[in-house]
Amino acid sequence: MVAMVDYAILSVCLFTIGIVGILIRRNIITILMCIELILNSVNLLFVAFSRYLGNVDGQIFVFFIFAIAAAEAAVGLALVVAYFKLRETVEVDEIKLLKG
Amino acid sequence: MQLAFWILSFIAVFAAVMVILSDRPIVSGLFLLLSFTAISGIYLTLAAPFIAAMQLVVYAGAIIVLFLFVIMLLNQHREAPSKRNKFITFVSVLGAILIGVLIYISLLKSKILLSYTKMSAVGGMKNNVETLSVVMFGKYFIPFELISILLLAAMVAAVFLSKKRV
């Protein structure tokens, strides 16, 4: 039998892995991937609670988060491509145009 | 059901770890695809077939392909060796892991989440897609329409950003 807490622990694991990835990776594309990982862990928690409470509202929210994740990936990657055309790099340590 | 959950969650966590450990973006992207597919299987164990299908179509089908396209477009092979201060990186990673451990401990304090009987007792979610569509086009009709405006705005922004002269 799988309890609710197992889904919650899996979600926390994925969330922590995403945060650590944002901190240790230097390629901005990989950082965007880690953000997708974090959004996925939240989705998992939403669906698990929707099942647990017997209420489909959580699944509707997951549907909305899908749309927002798609929009975020599109705009983020467009920004990355635009910056690469300008400066020929996607390393976050090299991106310091606004750093005074 | 139980065996499927444990196998799929192991695959999801393993693939997520490989995403952040690999220093080649294309390998990260392919492991992210594996992680998303495993999570889609976990949605099936939660009796949410519509969300599982959407996970495959939107994440594995659209977002990952977008990522892989951009990685190939920008010709990214391997990250350069880090020039960061090792100590600061170590402390920030430790802090992130501590946040995870804190959430974990607070979950284990919760009595309701630990009950094993509740999870399978939920009925009334037969015919998932029909239930979902009634709620989505009834109670959540306005947010559903607003999402379409958001997607339009994102599309305009992406087209504008990738123009030749901004």
Side-chain angles (χ1 to χ4, degrees):
Chain A
M1 193 71 76
V2 185
M4 178 59 218
V5 74
D6 297 327
Y7 290 99
I9 290 170
L10 174 63
S11 170
V12 171
C13 284
L14 290 173
F15 185 85
T16 314
I17 291 168
I19 297 275
V20 171
I22 288 177
L23 290 171
I24 65 173
R25 284 290 115 208
R26 294 179 306 283
N27 192 319
I28 198 161
I29 302 174
T30 320
I31 290 178
L32 282 173
M33 284 181 197
C34 292
I35 294 174
E36 300 294 334
L37 212 57
I38 291 173
L39 283 172
N40 242 287
S41 80
V42 175
N43 281 347
L44 186 63
L45 208 55
F46 263 122
V47 176
F49 267 104
S50 137
R51 169 88 169 131
Y52 177 68
L53 300 171
N55 189 339
V56 286
D57 288 23
Q59 299 188 17
I60 308 276
F61 273 90
V62 170
F63 184 77
F64 290 154
I65 293 174
F66 281 160
I68 289 167
E72 175 247 323
V75 175
L77 289 171
L79 277 173
V80 171
V81 172
Y83 193 87
F84 187 82
K85 279 197 285 192
L86 207 65
R87 289 279 181 275
E88 297 279 311
T89 181
V90 288
E91 301 266 315
V92 285
D93 291 349
E94 307 291 326
I95 300 175
K96 45 194 172 188
L97 213 61
L98 291 180
K99 204 181 168 186
Chain B
M1 195 74 102
Q2 192 186 8
L3 187 67
F5 170 76
W6 289 114
I7 292 173
L8 287 170
S9 57
F10 176 77
I11 293 174
V13 171
F14 168 77
V17 169
M18 290 309 289
V19 167
I20 69 167
L21 287 187
S22 159
D23 63 349
R24 278 178 297 179
I26 198 107
V27 175
S28 291
L30 292 174
F31 270 114
L32 195 64
L33 175 62
L34 179 61
S35 182
F36 285 167
T37 314
I39 290 174
S40 155
I42 291 174
Y43 290 154
L44 284 181
T45 71
L46 282 166
F50 177 70
I51 296 297
M54 288 302 288
Q55 169 93 2
L56 281 183
V57 170
V58 174
Y59 268 109
I63 294 182
I64 292 291
V65 171
L66 194 64
F67 271 107
L68 294 182
F69 261 133
V70 170
I71 292 166
M72 290 175 190
L73 193 70
L74 303 188
N75 204 8
Q76 294 293 304
H77 290 299
R78 210 175 263 277
E79 272 185 5
S82 176
K83 293 190 285 282
R84 281 185 192 170
N85 188 337
K86 283 278 193 307
F87 179 70
I88 293 174
T89 310
F90 176 72
V91 170
S92 50
V93 168
L94 202 68
I97 292 173
L98 269 180
I99 292 172
V101 171
L102 275 178
I103 302 174
Y104 175 71
I105 291 170
S106 58
L107 284 178
L108 290 187
K109 292 277 179 218
S110 148
K111 288 277 184 293
I112 324 164
L113 292 187
L114 289 169
S115 64
Y116 277 70
T117 45
K118 273 288 205 61
M119 210 59 193
S120 54
V122 175
M125 281 179 58
K126 300 271 187 282
N127 204 344
N128 180 259
V129 178
E130 194 184 330
T131 320
L132 212 60
S133 61
V134 167
V135 177
M136 191 183 288
F137 293 107
K139 192 174 166 190
Y140 290 100
F141 182 67
I142 304 287
F144 181 80
E145 294 297 330
L146 289 177
I147 280 290
S148 67
I149 296 176
L150 177 85
L151 283 173
L152 178 69
M155 199 174 76
V156 171
V159 170
F160 177 75
L161 282 170
S162 46
K163 270 198 324 189
K164 198 106 186 155
R165 285 293 306 160
V166 181

